[in-house]
Amino acid sequence: QLRLVQSGGGLVQPGGSLRLSCVVSGVTLSNYAVGWFRQAPGKDHEGVSCMATSDGSTDYADSVKGRFTSSRDNAKNTVYLQMNSLKPEDTAVYYCAAGYLPTTTAQEMCAMPGHFGSWGQGTQVTVSS
C-alpha cells in the first residue's frame, strides 16, 4: 500500500530557505511519478513541481522557477523540495503526491492534481518577517 509521509516546513523569513521531504513507502519509487502541490487559504491547489517517469522531465510553476528544486532519491524512497529565496506569497500548506503515471508528462500532472492517487499529510510553510 502506497503511503507518503512528509517532514520539513515551518516558519522562515523572506529570502530564507527550507527543504521539504516526502518518504514514499509500499512501492518502488522509481516507477512512480511524484509531485509537489500547495494550497494557500482560499485558493485552489497549485502544482509547484512534478517529476514524470514517462520522459524523465520535471515541470515547475512559473512562480517558483529558479527558486525551487525538486529531486528524488530512489534508493531512499524519498522526494525532496528545496525552496530558496522564499517569498511571503509562498506561504501555503504543501503536499507531496505520487502516482503510477507511465504516460503522463510532468506538465500534464502538475496541471491536474487529480492525476495523483496518493497524497502526503501536508505541511505548513509560512514566510513572514
Side-chain angles (χ1 to χ4, degrees):
Q1 183 176 355
L2 196 157
R3 185 177 180 223
L4 294 81
V5 178
Q6 297 179 224
S7 61
L11 173 64
V12 65
Q13 292 186 341
S17 298
L18 283 174
R19 188 176 80 160
L20 305 182
S21 300
C22 176
V23 177
V24 182
S25 60
V27 297
T28 301
L29 181 59
S30 60
N31 295 332
Y32 278 70
V34 292
W36 288 96
F37 294 82
R38 66 187 180 186
Q39 187 170 28
K43 295 187 177 181
D44 292 333
H45 272 87
E46 176 189 15
V48 175
S49 178
C50 294
M51 293 178 281
T53 53
S54 57
D55 57 3
S57 63
T58 301
D59 187 53
Y60 292 94
D62 288 342
S63 58
V64 307
K65 282 181 181 176
R67 301 188 297 122
F68 290 13
T69 303
S70 59
S71 61
R72 59 197 297 163
D73 185 335
N74 291 330
K76 295 183 178 179
N77 267 24
T78 302
V79 181
Y80 303 97
L81 182 67
Q82 178 67 43
M83 305 183 292
N84 298 328
S85 302
L86 282 161
K87 304 175 181 179
E89 51 263 43
D90 294 318
T91 296
V93 178
Y94 284 71
Y95 298 88
C96 62
Y100 184 69
L101 302 167
T103 61
T104 309
T105 67
Q107 189 175 24
E108 288 171 340
M109 60 184 69
C110 254
M112 189 173 293
H115 279 298
F116 291 97
S118 298
W119 293 79
Q121 79 275 20
T123 186
Q124 178 70 46
V125 171
T126 302
V127 185
S128 175
S129 55

